[in-house]
Coordinates of all heavy atoms in Angstrom, one line a residue:
N74 N -13.0 -3.1 29.8 CA -14.3 -3.0 29.1 C -14.9 -4.4 28.9 O -14.2 -5.4 28.7 CB -14.2 -2.2 27.8 CG -13.7 -0.8 28.1 OD1 -14.4 -0.1 28.8 ND2 -12.6 -0.4 27.5
I75 N -16.2 -4.4 28.8 CA -16.9 -5.7 28.6 C -16.9 -6.2 27.2 O -17.1 -7.4 26.9 CB -18.4 -5.6 29.1 CG1 -19.1 -4.6 28.3 CG2 -18.4 -5.3 30.6 CD1 -20.6 -4.6 28.6
F76 N -16.6 -5.3 26.2 CA -16.6 -5.8 24.8 C -15.2 -6.0 24.3 O -14.2 -5.5 24.8 CB -17.4 -4.8 23.9 CG -16.7 -3.4 23.9 CD1 -15.6 -3.2 23.1 CD2 -17.3 -2.4 24.6 CE1 -15.1 -2.0 23.0 CE2 -16.7 -1.1 24.5 CZ -15.6 -0.9 23.7
R77 N -15.1 -6.8 23.2 CA -13.9 -7.1 22.5 C -14.2 -6.7 21.0 O -15.3 -7.0 20.5 CB -13.5 -8.6 22.6 CG -13.1 -9.0 24.0 CD -11.8 -8.3 24.5 NE -11.5 -8.8 25.8 CZ -11.8 -8.2 27.0 NH1 -12.6 -7.1 26.9 NH2 -11.4 -8.6 28.1
A78 N -13.2 -6.2 20.4 CA -13.4 -5.7 19.0 C -12.5 -6.5 18.1 O -11.3 -6.8 18.4 CB -13.0 -4.3 18.9
N79 N -13.0 -6.9 17.0 CA -12.3 -7.6 15.9 C -12.0 -6.5 14.8 O -12.9 -5.9 14.3 CB -13.0 -8.8 15.3 CG -13.2 -9.9 16.4 OD1 -12.3 -10.2 17.1 ND2 -14.4 -10.4 16.4
I80 N -10.7 -6.4 14.5 CA -10.3 -5.4 13.5 C -10.1 -6.1 12.1 O -9.5 -7.1 12.0 CB -9.0 -4.7 13.9 CG1 -9.1 -4.1 15.3 CG2 -8.7 -3.6 12.9 CD1 -10.2 -3.0 15.4
R81 N -10.7 -5.5 11.1 CA -10.4 -6.0 9.7 C -10.2 -4.8 8.8 O -10.5 -3.7 9.1 CB -11.6 -6.7 9.2 CG -12.9 -5.9 8.9 CD -14.0 -6.7 8.3 NE -15.1 -6.0 7.8 CZ -16.1 -5.4 8.5 NH1 -16.1 -5.5 9.8 NH2 -17.0 -4.7 7.9
E82 N -9.5 -5.1 7.7 CA -9.3 -4.1 6.7 C -10.5 -4.0 5.8 O -11.1 -5.0 5.3 CB -8.1 -4.4 5.8 CG -7.6 -3.3 4.9 CD -6.3 -3.6 4.2 OE1 -5.4 -4.2 4.8 OE2 -6.1 -3.1 3.1
A83 N -11.0 -2.8 5.6 CA -12.2 -2.6 4.9 C -12.1 -2.9 3.4 O -11.1 -2.8 2.8 CB -12.7 -1.1 5.0
E84 N -13.3 -3.3 2.8 CA -13.4 -3.5 1.4 C -14.4 -2.5 0.8 O -15.0 -1.8 1.6 CB -13.9 -5.0 1.1 CG -13.0 -6.0 1.7 CD -13.5 -7.4 1.4 OE1 -14.5 -7.6 0.6 OE2 -13.1 -8.4 2.0
L85 N -14.4 -2.4 -0.5 CA -15.3 -1.5 -1.1 C -16.8 -1.6 -0.6 O -17.4 -0.6 -0.4 CB -15.3 -1.6 -2.6 CG -16.1 -0.6 -3.5 CD1 -15.5 0.8 -3.3 CD2 -16.0 -1.0 -5.0
K86 N -17.2 -2.8 -0.4 CA -18.6 -3.0 0.1 C -18.9 -2.5 1.4 O -20.0 -2.3 1.8 CB -18.9 -4.5 0.1 CG -18.1 -5.3 1.1 CD -18.4 -6.8 1.0 CE -17.6 -7.6 2.0 NZ -17.9 -9.1 1.9
D87 N -17.8 -2.1 2.2 CA -18.0 -1.6 3.6 C -18.2 -0.1 3.6 O -18.4 0.5 4.7 CB -16.7 -1.9 4.4 CG -16.6 -3.4 4.6 OD1 -17.6 -4.1 5.0 OD2 -15.4 -3.9 4.5
L88 N -18.1 0.6 2.5 CA -18.1 2.1 2.5 C -19.4 2.6 3.0 O -19.4 3.7 3.6 CB -17.8 2.6 1.1 CG -16.3 2.4 0.6 CD1 -16.1 3.2 -0.7 CD2 -15.3 2.9 1.7
S89 N -20.5 2.0 2.7 CA -21.8 2.5 3.2 C -21.9 2.4 4.7 O -22.4 3.3 5.4 CB -22.9 1.6 2.6 OG -23.0 1.8 1.2
I90 N -21.3 1.3 5.3 CA -21.2 1.2 6.7 C -20.4 2.3 7.3 O -20.7 2.9 8.3 CB -20.7 -0.2 7.1 CG1 -21.6 -1.3 6.6 CG2 -20.4 -0.3 8.6 CD1 -21.0 -2.7 6.8
I91 N -19.2 2.5 6.7 CA -18.3 3.6 7.2 C -18.9 5.0 7.1 O -18.8 5.8 8.0 CB -17.0 3.5 6.4 CG1 -16.2 2.2 6.7 CG2 -16.1 4.7 6.8 CD1 -15.0 2.0 5.8
T92 N -19.6 5.2 6.0 CA -20.3 6.5 5.9 C -21.3 6.7 7.0 O -21.4 7.8 7.6 CB -21.1 6.5 4.5 OG1 -20.1 6.3 3.4 CG2 -21.8 7.8 4.3
D93 N -22.1 5.7 7.3 CA -23.1 5.7 8.4 C -22.4 6.0 9.7 O -22.9 6.8 10.5 CB -23.9 4.4 8.4 CG -25.0 4.5 9.5 OD1 -25.9 5.4 9.4 OD2 -25.0 3.7 10.4
I94 N -21.3 5.3 10.0 CA -20.6 5.5 11.3 C -20.0 6.9 11.4 O -20.2 7.5 12.4 CB -19.5 4.4 11.4 CG1 -20.0 3.0 11.6 CG2 -18.6 4.7 12.7 CD1 -19.0 1.9 11.6
Y95 N -19.4 7.3 10.3 CA -18.9 8.7 10.3 C -19.9 9.7 10.6 O -19.7 10.6 11.5 CB -18.3 9.0 8.9 CG -17.8 10.4 8.7 CD1 -16.4 10.7 8.9 CD2 -18.6 11.4 8.3 CE1 -16.0 12.0 8.8 CE2 -18.2 12.7 8.2 CZ -16.8 13.0 8.4 OH -16.4 14.3 8.3

Side-chain angles (χ1 to χ4, degrees):
N74 296 304
I75 60 174
F76 62 79
R77 296 289 182 269
N79 294 315
I80 306 296
R81 73 179 189 277
E82 189 169 332
E84 300 178 14
L85 185 61
K86 64 182 180 180
D87 294 314
L88 290 186
S89 294
I90 296 172
I91 295 172
T92 301
D93 183 62
I94 295 174
Y95 175 95

